[in-house]
Amino acid sequence: MQSFNHLITTRPHQVRQVLISDLHLSPQEPALVQAFLALLDDCLALPVLKRLFILGDWFEVWLGDDTYLSLLEEKRSEDEQITHWLTPLIAKLKQLRINGCEILVMHGNRDFLLGQPFCNLFGGELINEPYTLPVGQQNYRLEHGDALCTDDKKYQFFRKIIRNRLTQWYLLNKSLEKRLAIADNMRQRSQQNNANKAAHIMDVNNKAVRQAITTSDALLHGHTHRPDIHEATDDKKRYVLGDWRLIDTDTRQPKVNAVIGAVTGDEHSNDSLSSNDAEFGLFEFTMLV
């Protein structure tokens, strides 16, 4: 796995697609927000970038699109919009889309209330899982990854309920204050439950992986915060993207570290996203705070 202080700056003319997951952005973690903005600056500088995938848990918590859209609908002061922590993020994503890069967003277990109206602000598209991504002559199955953790029976039951459209309609019709209280309660219960779970229960189940990859050539997901490359079967690989985390916090130069994915191709080939020369790889992305 190669490491970069910026997004694959050693070969910018080869990066066609970028895939990230588990950023867990929030106003309480400004370093992560700044790191994401830095990655978007790198994406804007990549001349042949065609797609940016965000495969779930983009935000630490998402209480509904109206948490931001209400700023626009109620025509609040321009200063309030400008100073909101999401505004510069939306502006850079919008510029990336204007430059010709598709922005494809998938739900995670923390931002399942994210909707298309928010993505419309920057021209993004909300995609369902699993999503098939052609890479050369292979088909990669993309998903967030929580559905593969089938050993965690309690979570899978919760996931089935919370992903139900009726449940989401019920939550979104609650006031923002009540949604915030519900989210805080869910977070506390999740932390308590996870503290008593064995580590393997919160990882993917091998049988679930083999079933998921049956009709694909490779599997790519996040969620587990355990970036690596695994042999899913004798001839198929499972790639795990990493969460974005603040490291070296006790030093003078704290860093944000993440493991991201990229589809690259020969710079002299055509711009086809599924050209025969396309290759996928994991890369470590590190930014000084």
Side-chain angles (χ1 to χ4, degrees), residues 274-289:
S274 58
S275 58
N276 292 339
D277 68 302
E279 295 180 355
F280 175 82
L282 294 182
F283 301 87
E284 186 177 20
F285 169 67
T286 305
M287 190 203 79
L288 293 176
V289 176

Side-chain angles (χ1 to χ4, degrees), residues 77-89:
S77 70
E78 187 175 343
D79 287 343
E80 192 173 353
Q81 295 179 30
I82 291 174
T83 57
H84 196 283
W85 70 279
L86 286 172
T87 299
L89 178 155

Side-chain angles (χ1 to χ4, degrees), residues 34-66:
Q34 290 303 313
F36 180 58
L37 291 172
L39 179 130
L40 292 180
D41 283 334
D42 286 348
C43 287
L44 286 167
L46 296 174
V48 295
L49 184 66
K50 297 299 181 184
R51 281 179 180 167
L52 170 65
F53 286 89
I54 305 175
L55 300 181
D57 282 4
W58 184 9
F59 301 106
E60 174 66 11
V61 63
W62 190 262
L63 299 176
D65 291 2
D66 56 334

Side-chain angles (χ1 to χ4, degrees), residues 90-267:
I90 293 168
K92 285 189 185 294
L93 285 169
K94 187 174 182 180
Q95 186 58 54
L96 187 63
R97 185 68 190 96
I98 291 172
N99 287 5
C101 177
E102 293 180 78
I103 303 165
L104 307 174
V105 183
M106 184 178 288
H107 286 132
N109 55 293
R110 291 182 177 270
D111 50 14
F112 52 85
L113 291 179
L114 188 68
Q116 185 59 47
F118 177 76
C119 294
N120 288 341
L121 294 177
F122 52 85
E125 178 185 354
L126 203 58
I127 59 174
N128 295 321
E129 59 176 349
Y131 183 93
T132 300
L133 174 67
V135 179
Q137 296 300 306
Q138 294 188 321
N139 286 324
Y140 280 52
R141 177 187 171 109
L142 310 184
E143 55 183 293
H144 178 59
D146 57 333
L148 300 170
C149 302
T150 55
D151 291 331
D152 194 342
K153 305 297 184 184
K154 288 185 178 180
Y155 172 73
Q156 292 302 325
F157 177 73
F158 167 79
R159 184 182 188 276
K160 184 177 181 180
I161 293 174
I162 210 67
R163 293 296 186 101
N164 185 279
R165 290 185 178 182
L166 183 60
T167 302
Q168 295 184 4
W169 175 87
Y170 172 79
L171 289 172
L172 291 173
N173 278 276
K174 292 286 186 181
S175 67
L176 184 57
E177 290 75 15
K178 289 184 178 179
R179 274 180 268 163
L180 184 59
I182 293 171
D184 286 340
N185 179 263
M186 288 168 56
R187 188 182 303 110
Q188 291 175 11
R189 292 181 62 181
S190 176
Q191 290 174 347
Q192 292 171 358
N193 291 335
N194 290 344
N196 298 318
K197 291 176 183 176
H200 74 275
I201 291 179
M202 293 184 287
D203 203 352
V204 299
N205 174 278
N206 289 332
K207 182 178 179 181
V209 167
R210 289 194 295 270
Q211 289 177 340
I213 208 172
T214 301
T215 58
S216 304
D217 300 297
L219 174 63
L220 172 65
H221 67 85
H223 178 66
T224 63
H225 299 189
R226 303 175 186 186
D228 208 343
I229 303 174
H230 303 270
E231 297 293 335
T233 65
D234 291 339
D235 59 344
K236 298 180 180 181
K237 288 184 169 58
R238 174 171 68 92
Y239 298 88
V240 186
L241 300 176
D243 60 309
W244 291 46
R245 60 184 69 178
L246 189 61
I247 60 174
D248 297 339
T249 54
D250 56 344
T251 69
R252 292 183 177 180
Q253 289 189 317
K255 305 178 183 70
V256 171
N257 177 266
V259 174
I260 66 177
V263 177
T264 58
D266 188 276
E267 60 183 294

